[in-house]
Amino acid sequence: MTVQQKRTFFRHLVQCGFKEIEVAFPAASETEFSFVRSLIEDGEVPDDVWMQVLTPARAELIHRTFESIAGARQVIFMLFHAAAPCFREVVFGGKSKAEIIDLATSHTRIVRALADEYSAKYGTKFRFLYGVEAFSQTEPEFVVELCTKVKEAWGRAGTRFEERIMFNLPSTVEISPPTHYADQIEYFCTHMGNRDEMIVSLHTHNDRGTAVAASELGLMAGADRIEGCLFGNGERCGNVDLITLALNLYTQGVPCGLDFSDMPRTIDVYTQCTGMPVPARHPYAGELVFTAFSGSHQDGIKKGFEAQAARHAQAEREGKRKMWMVPYLPLDPEDVGRVYEAVIRVNAQSGKGGTAFIIRRHLHVDLPRAVQQEFYGVVQRRTDREARELSADEIVRTFKAYYHLDDRASRGTLTLDSFAVKETSSERVPMATFQGQMSDDGKTFSLRGEGSTPLAAFLDAVQSRTGLEYSVIEMHQRASLNPTSGEIVSFILLADPNSRGVTSNGDVHHNAPCWGVGIDADRTRSLIRAALSAINRLHRASTDTLHETLNGSTREEVLRILADQYALSVPIPYAMQDALAEICAAGDVAGISPDQAAAWFVARFYHRAPRNGDALKAALLGFSIARVPSSSGPGEAAKRMRVQATVLLHGREQPVEGTGSDAVNSLLTGLSGLVGFVALRGMEVRPVTEPARGRQNVAFVQVESEKHQVGWGVGLDEDLTTAMLQAALIAAVNCCEH
């Protein structure tokens, strides 16, 4: 790595919480030496971090290493050499054990003298780390004898933490089972005198693939400290992976003080600085770690999340800890900045063509073989026509345009502005209902359809409103290859059964069936977007639009009425668009006017003060807010509120009292005893100025019940808190009336 790459990596290690960082072998090269100097001179090392440097037992290298750390605040100085029989015979030319002890003690005294000199000159604090290279290949009794002599030569060991001498005991080459290594660590810990004056440090390598196991067993055997690398980088098969080791401890309830909550960032820093990839199956970090391909695994995880949501809601009500317990997921992916991706592959085949590789790399989309073949034909025709190669960016733009993916540069003629799907099931027949808003060349209209699946309901809605009929020949779904996106990519092959047909394998598949591609975080929405992509490809061959078959836009007219007559002139939140679309679609089906549809919306979501003769389902009649002491400890009082309110629920006045972190959560806590458990899911507040009443605040609140039902409410008042509480009350009632 360059000095700048090393600095970037060092800063990230500090951010992760490491307090002892081996920064360099300063005597090895000018780059290493310069890097150490830059850290010191530029003030890069925080006050609570010890920088560690290392050197073999050679006097000139020890002096050079001390030169590199001049002016540092606190340093762990590591002296190391081998003592194993093989090294004594081969590397050191047949040195005896006594000569090895003399080598160690004489150079320890050099380190001691220089440490005293630099402490006096620069005020540097030193801790001494002596490493027995190839410890696991060295006679255990000789290691004890050697380290005892080194400790005596150091002469400064004490029981205070910073006084303790450190002994690094590496499996420099992993040549035996991890249990053997643990036995050797235990022997050392139990045979060294004055154990409270030393820190036993582990340094495991992964030649047998058991570095993590060896480290964990070594800790159980009595060790205090572990050296390792991120993602197991290091000589040959690497050192122990500190990420895997730390998160193994974390999942067992053992805190280690390290923060890997942003794993994608850690991966980025590692790959950019080292040029090495993180394997897709690497524990806790690989892109496929939280991906389930097996149907039984997906089912277990789905049920686990559902059960956990109910369990966590109950724990919150009872003031108990929320425990993570989901099949196949040993920890919450969000704890490491990841999300769970359910991957479904139906007749999936992976291709290796150049265009497929570019789409995979740039769009994180794994194309089914049939789509690969189809799109390759598109690229091939263009390259033949233009007599040149296409760049990766051109291929990506061509893919988006060809499949009408949802961005402004490549949208098709037909677009879905908003839609919602509801699924119901009985003992006999499952049923889905689709409601949404579609535009054709800027003209908006409502859709509503029913079918046995959400996709069937969407196609029924299209046919009912436009007369266009399509049949599904084949479809695939799979997760985006970007592990942080959480998106599902769908592929659907549609045909028009009314076109002149052709026979294939005895079945009529009709003329020119087309593939469609859809991408969305929700599996059902992704599937519907793919169907729309295919419909656009089938539809774009015709220059005619659908204007003659459509009745106009209910949604735009309803929005105008809400702004003009009900002071709702601010944009409705995107997440609430589905609720509006449902009202408009229901109005289209019932044949009512936009004025009546707007009145439906207001009656359902809008807070209004009660008038004589009104039959309001809910209204906020009055409230007061007070701060209350918190049981969390000193300084927390300002974070707790108590709301006492009088509300009208279905014609009856009722008192409500609740406490929480803010006014809205306090009211919802109190309402949970009247309407059922509800929790805040989202809130948006927007100012609006009315000619008659001046500046007002519009609050949109969404809440969620224990059964994951959601409800919306809208409040309007010149007082911000009043508007939010109005909206929260209506949302809670709507949620629990589902």
Side-chain angles (χ1 to χ4, degrees), residues 352-360 367 372 375-377 379-380 395:
K352 298 181 180 179
T355 55
F357 173 80
I358 290 173
I359 297 303
R360 180 187 182 97
L367 300 178
Q372 290 180 37
F375 182 60
Y376 175 69
V379 173
Q380 188 178 44
I395 291 174

Side-chain angles (χ1 to χ4, degrees), residues 74-204:
Q74 45 197 26
V75 175
I76 296 174
F77 195 98
M78 180 180 176
L79 176 72
F80 72 93
H81 63 82
C86 179
F87 286 81
R88 297 199 301 264
E89 181 65 30
V90 176
V91 178
F92 295 126
K95 282 186 181 294
S96 65
K97 291 181 179 179
E99 289 174 311
I100 293 297
I101 292 175
D102 181 66
L103 173 74
T105 55
S106 62
H107 287 87
T108 296
R109 284 189 284 269
I110 295 174
V111 173
R112 165 67 189 268
L114 288 171
D116 290 342
E117 176 186 335
Y118 276 67
S119 292
K121 187 174 182 179
Y122 301 105
T124 305
K125 294 180 181 179
F126 283 97
R127 294 163 64 194
F128 182 50
L129 173 61
Y130 174 67
V132 184
E133 186 81 350
F135 159 80
S136 60
Q137 297 170 257
T138 308
E139 305 94 328
E141 63 278 3
F142 178 51
V143 174
V144 170
E145 179 185 4
L146 175 62
C147 290
T148 300
K149 295 297 184 182
V150 167
K151 183 170 178 285
E152 292 173 357
W154 177 243
R156 296 171 58 173
T159 56
R160 292 177 56 246
F161 178 76
E162 293 183 5
E163 297 174 342
R164 296 179 185 179
I165 186 172
M166 292 187 282
F167 291 111
N168 203 38
L169 308 178
S171 60
T172 307
V173 180
E174 189 177 43
I175 61 171
S176 60
T179 50
H180 289 196
Y181 180 69
D183 289 341
Q184 292 171 308
I185 297 298
E186 183 179 24
Y187 182 92
F188 181 87
C189 292
T190 56
H191 285 74
M192 285 292 292
N194 299 318
R195 177 67 176 84
D196 60 346
E197 295 180 353
M198 65 187 71
I199 292 173
V200 177
S201 176
L202 307 178
H203 183 111
T204 56

